[in-house]
Amino acid sequence: MGRPPLNFLETKVRLSSETRERIASLVGNYQISAFIREAVENELERREAIKNKISGSEPKD
């Protein structure tokens, strides 16, 4: 028996060494992926809210 699927697609992201070091100094080397996922989700929500506000549409749940 193996580990259950995580339902994530692997996406490679290029970061400068300085950016990666800044992230690692905050969350540690083993939490970098989680940090990036959370940052992307937060930015998506922010941009979708702006887009919905401009277009007058309701946010999706």
Side-chain angles (χ1 to χ4, degrees):
M1 289 208 154
R3 181 173 68 175
L6 299 175
N7 297 320
F8 290 117
L9 295 176
E10 181 180 50
T11 302
K12 296 186 185 213
V13 177
R14 295 185 186 269
L15 301 172
S16 68
S17 58
E18 293 84 14
T19 299
R20 189 184 184 291
E21 289 170 10
R22 289 173 63 196
I23 295 169
S25 72
L26 290 173
V27 299
N29 283 327
Y30 297 106
Q31 294 298 315
I32 292 173
S33 294
F35 178 90
I36 293 170
R37 278 192 301 273
E38 184 178 341
V40 168
E41 285 295 324
N42 289 339
E43 185 64 12
L44 283 169
E45 289 175 12
R46 186 185 76 80
R47 290 184 185 208
E48 288 168 345
I50 291 169
K51 183 179 178 182
N52 290 334
K53 188 174 184 179
I54 291 170
S55 67
S57 62
E58 294 293 319
K60 296 178 183 176
D61 287 337

